[in-house]
Amino acid sequence: MTVIQGFLDNKIFHIISDIAESKGVRAFVIGGYVRDCFLGRPGKDIDVVVEGSGIEIAEAVAEVVRSHVSVFRNFGTAMLRYRGVEVEFVGARKESYRRDSRKPIVENGSLEDDQRRRDFTINAMAFSLQKEDFGALVDPFGGIRDLDAGIIRTPLDPDTTYSDDPLRMIRAIRFATKLSSSDRPFRIVPESLESIRLNRGRLEILSRERIAEELNKMLVCDRPSIGFRLMDETGLLELILPQLCRLKGTENVEGHGHKENFSHTLEVLDNVAAAEAEAIAAGTLKDYEFEDGEEKEKIRTEPNLWLRWAALLHDIGKPATKRFDKDAGWTFHGHEVVGARMIPKIFKSLKMPLNEKMKYVEKLVLLHLRPIALVTEEVTDSAVRRLLFDAGNDIDDLMLLCNADITSKNPRKVERLRQNFELVRRKLSEVEAKDAIRNFKNPVTGEYIMEVYGIPPCRQIGELKEYIKNAILDGVIGNNFEEADRLMREKASRMGLVPLPSGQ
Ligand code: ATP
Ligand code: MG
């Protein structure tokens, strides 16, 4: 057996080892932590499997390290935190499945039984925590061999593995996406890929929430396109997000073809991932949160999942709006509006939150053509102000998406669009610095109008406010109270409103 040095330096492993010995049970580190050690990616969470009661060992460890332990008796698991790391304990188990559920019948088992029920060979490796062979690798299914070769394979027959728990089909694709890097792809073995295709109908026993959770993990990977292509090839995508499959293919009429929108979408998604990673590394992306009624700025340190969803769905309205015009060729007029309207149904189908995150995705899809439309027309201050007003705090994400959307086989066209795009970017920061539109608040409030004219809430107040907002966005007046107040009075007098003596 190989004993690996350095992977188990954390003191917690020795504490667990001592306690397991004193209780006369064997304990092992298993799963993602072991895999990530060999990949040189520092693992965060630690999973410990015990041949006996995981909960009992966890409680004893928690006492030594003086940590709180959360016990989940139904699952036979317990979790504690040690110096910022989550350590989860479970008893080794043997599982058998029924056809209609992904919840197995569980019995106590040995380490080997436990390894057999794991999803992939690379996730089934364990490090011993026994005194006599502390740190020894226990790898009965060739996880190390597969890790070296960049292979995802199930420990048992793939049909049984996937049919027992169909979530593993999506997990296989998620790990292929997550572990692949530019210099070394991770591949699902052909036999396994074929089995996913065969068992895809088993997805029906999964809850939509669990599917969405895996999709979300896939989306925040460095190259999410890998996962979506695999889902498409195996037929899973048709069952999960059929709307995306409708983007596939291209048509040719009288020598006019159009972009293959599925590949384009995936290219944009990867572009967004790369651009966001770069911006995160440079510390240039900001998020805004409201705390105690005040806006707080935070530098983004993790990918914004919802920006990825916006990239994935940005052209989702194209199939429904596709037309062929003798003069213009293929057009997709209004696809951004139709696409934005499709978002709630898609989110609902995956039981995703129908809250401000969804609104953000709708907004980005709706606005995704605006920055580029600006560069093809003249870049007026007024158009820039309107874009800033409509995008608000999400302007940087919108610009990132829009830039990522510039894909063409013609390098000269790409170069020209990118240059124009930079012009819009510069103009945006100039206008924002001058007029502060991003967080536009009308300098004249409804309460103020009611006070000046002594009128109750009515239509005229909305009309006045709208008039002032448009004047500011069009650059007729500056974004400040004095000019807004003067304009309000002029307009109100034309509307026949007379200020109260106190309001003059
Ligand atoms: P990540 O870095 O994504 O957390 P991980 O390998 O730790 O990767 P988890 O989902 O946290 O993945 O699961 C921990 C371990 O539990 C896995 O490594 C695997 O051994 C096992 N496992 C998780 N889900 C399943 C499943 N559906 N079927 C079989 N084994 C599973
Ligand atoms: Mg994990």
Side-chain angles (χ1 to χ4, degrees):
M1 266 190 200
T2 347
V3 177
I4 317 289
Q5 301 299 323
F7 289 160
L8 302 182
D9 283 349
N10 192 327
K11 220 172 114 193
I12 192 75
F13 295 119
H14 293 279
I15 298 171
I16 300 169
S17 175
D18 289 345
I19 290 173
E21 184 179 50
S22 71
K23 302 238 178 225
V25 295
R26 301 204 304 160
F28 301 83
V29 185
I30 194 158
Y33 183 88
V34 181
R35 178 196 70 221
D36 290 344
C37 279
F38 290 107
L39 286 172
R41 306 176 177 217
K44 275 193 312 233
D45 305 341
I46 299 170
D47 290 302
V48 174
V49 62
V50 175
E51 286 179 329
S53 162
I55 296 177
E56 202 185 311
I57 299 293
E59 283 172 336
V61 171
E63 217 176 285
V64 173
V65 302
R66 292 168 199 280
S67 153
H68 170 75
V69 59
S70 316
V71 175
F72 308 96
R73 292 219 183 263
N74 295 348
F75 298 100
T77 65
M79 202 267 285
L80 57 85
R81 266 180 188 286
Y82 179 77
R83 301 193 175 159
V85 178
E86 272 183 17
V87 193
E88 181 150 354
F89 294 79
V90 63
R93 51 171 82 165
K94 199 172 168 172
E95 291 181 346
S96 48
Y97 287 82
R98 286 156 302 158
R99 181 91 192 137
D100 58 341
S101 163
R102 62 177 289 260
K103 292 204 181 61
I105 301 162
V106 177
E107 307 160 60
N108 295 338
S110 63
L111 170 71
E112 174 124 8
D113 289 328
D114 196 277
Q115 285 173 303
R116 292 161 70 82
R117 69 161 188 98
R118 304 247 157 199
D119 47 7
F120 308 110
T121 58
I122 58 171
N123 286 349
M125 298 184 282
F127 286 138
S128 164
L129 294 179
Q130 280 47 258
K131 299 276 175 218
E132 60 275 15
D133 63 351
F134 188 86
L137 176 70
V138 189
D139 180 21
F141 300 107
I144 274 292
R145 176 202 59 208
D146 289 347
L147 204 56
D148 281 344
I151 280 177
I152 292 167
R153 179 203 314 268
T154 55
L156 306 180
D157 159 55
D159 282 342
T160 317
T161 306
Y162 293 134
S163 175
D164 280 350
D165 176 2
L167 192 69
R168 295 168 183 160
M169 301 195 275
I170 317 182
R171 284 175 61 89
I173 294 177
R174 201 242 296 169
F175 282 110
T177 312
K178 181 176 141 174
L179 301 180
S180 285
S181 59
S182 46
D183 48 325
R184 209 262 303 261
F186 258 79
R187 296 212 170 80
I188 301 173
V189 285
E191 180 198 13
S192 209
L193 212 51
E194 190 47 43
S195 173
I196 295 178
R197 213 169 280 133
L198 210 68
N199 285 289
R200 63 183 189 275
R202 296 286 291 151
L203 276 193
E204 70 183 19
I205 68 162
L206 293 183
S207 77
R208 292 272 137 181
E209 288 91 336
R210 294 295 290 120
I211 294 178
E213 212 175 291
E214 290 297 324
L215 287 187
N216 288 343
K217 288 184 180 172
M218 224 181 272
L219 277 168
V220 294
C221 290
D222 293 345
R223 279 181 56 208
S225 67
I226 297 173
F228 284 88
R229 278 205 193 283
L230 283 170
M231 284 200 291
D232 179 42
E233 283 164 24
T234 50
L236 297 186
L237 194 61
E238 183 66 50
L239 300 171
I240 298 174
L241 276 170
Q243 300 87 340
L244 268 183
C245 296
R246 303 287 89 78
L247 291 171
K248 281 182 353 189
T250 173
E251 256 182 277
N252 203 300
V253 174
E254 297 165 13
H256 294 271
H258 65 76
K259 230 180 222 176
E260 207 286 310
N261 287 310
F262 185 65
S263 299
H264 165 73
T265 290
L266 296 188
E267 195 179 338
V268 174
L269 180 59
D270 282 359
N271 286 349
V272 161
E276 191 189 32
E278 205 175 296
I280 285 176
T284 50
L285 270 180
K286 294 185 190 103
D287 286 309
Y288 304 89
E289 278 167 24
F290 277 92
E291 272 170 31
D292 314 323
E294 238 183 85
E295 190 182 79
K296 296 250 160 63
E297 208 179 274
K298 291 208 173 109
I299 302 283
R300 189 177 301 169
T301 53
E302 296 291 331
N304 177 359
L305 169 66
W306 308 104
L307 174 56
R308 307 284 169 104
W309 272 106
L312 185 69
L313 300 177
H314 79 284
D315 274 348
I316 204 73
K318 274 191 169 173
T321 54
K322 181 164 123 173
R323 303 276 178 277
F324 184 76
D325 178 279
K326 274 205 165 347
D327 303 317
W330 291 103
T331 66
F332 302 91
H333 287 310
H335 74 269
E336 72 285 16
V337 181
V338 171
R341 280 203 207 116
M342 289 168 71
I343 309 289
K345 199 167 156 208
I346 294 174
F347 269 50
K348 232 181 253 164
S349 76
L350 288 168
K351 301 247 167 67
M352 298 213 292
L354 308 176
N355 57 11
E356 76 287 349
K357 307 294 183 202
M358 181 185 81
K359 292 261 166 265
Y360 161 96
V361 176
E362 282 180 81
K363 176 162 134 185
L364 258 65
V365 172
L366 181 66
L367 298 179
H368 82 272
L369 298 173
R370 286 274 293 281
I372 210 73
L374 268 184
V375 306
T376 47
E377 294 155 16
E378 201 196 339
V379 195
T380 63
D381 277 14
S382 150
V384 170
R385 275 192 218 97
R386 289 210 171 260
L387 178 60
L388 272 167
F389 175 73
D390 290 336
N393 279 336
D394 302 317
I395 186 70
D396 291 344
D397 282 350
L398 178 66
M399 290 297 281
L400 195 143
L401 171 62
C402 191
N403 198 13
D405 195 16
I406 304 177
T407 71
S408 160
K409 291 209 180 70
N410 176 348
R412 272 211 310 266
K413 186 172 166 196
V414 169
E415 185 51 33
R416 183 169 47 81
L417 283 172
R418 285 208 200 278
Q419 273 176 12
N420 293 351
F421 187 83
E422 276 315 306
L423 192 72
V424 177
R425 201 195 287 281
R426 275 204 302 280
K427 198 86 191 175
L428 272 170
S429 41
E430 269 168 42
V431 169
E432 178 57 25
K434 184 156 60 86
D435 301 339
I437 300 291
R438 187 173 57 78
N439 268 327
F440 180 84
K441 283 193 198 67
N442 205 320
V444 163
T445 64
E447 290 80 56
Y448 178 70
I449 301 174
M450 290 192 270
E451 207 180 291
V452 173
Y453 297 101
I455 50 176
C458 60
R459 186 179 47 81
Q460 285 161 313
I461 295 173
E463 216 174 288
L464 271 172
K465 280 174 61 183
E466 187 66 15
Y467 185 75
I468 294 162
K469 181 192 96 184
N470 284 324
I472 294 173
L473 295 179
D474 290 337
V476 178
I477 60 167
N479 186 8
N480 59 63
F481 177 76
E482 287 70 32
E483 288 178 72
D485 186 51
R486 201 176 316 131
L487 189 75
M488 174 195 82
R489 286 167 194 274
E490 277 168 33
K491 172 74 178 166
S493 116
R494 286 202 299 277
M495 289 162 70
L497 291 174
V498 181
L500 295 175
S502 58
Q504 268 168 353

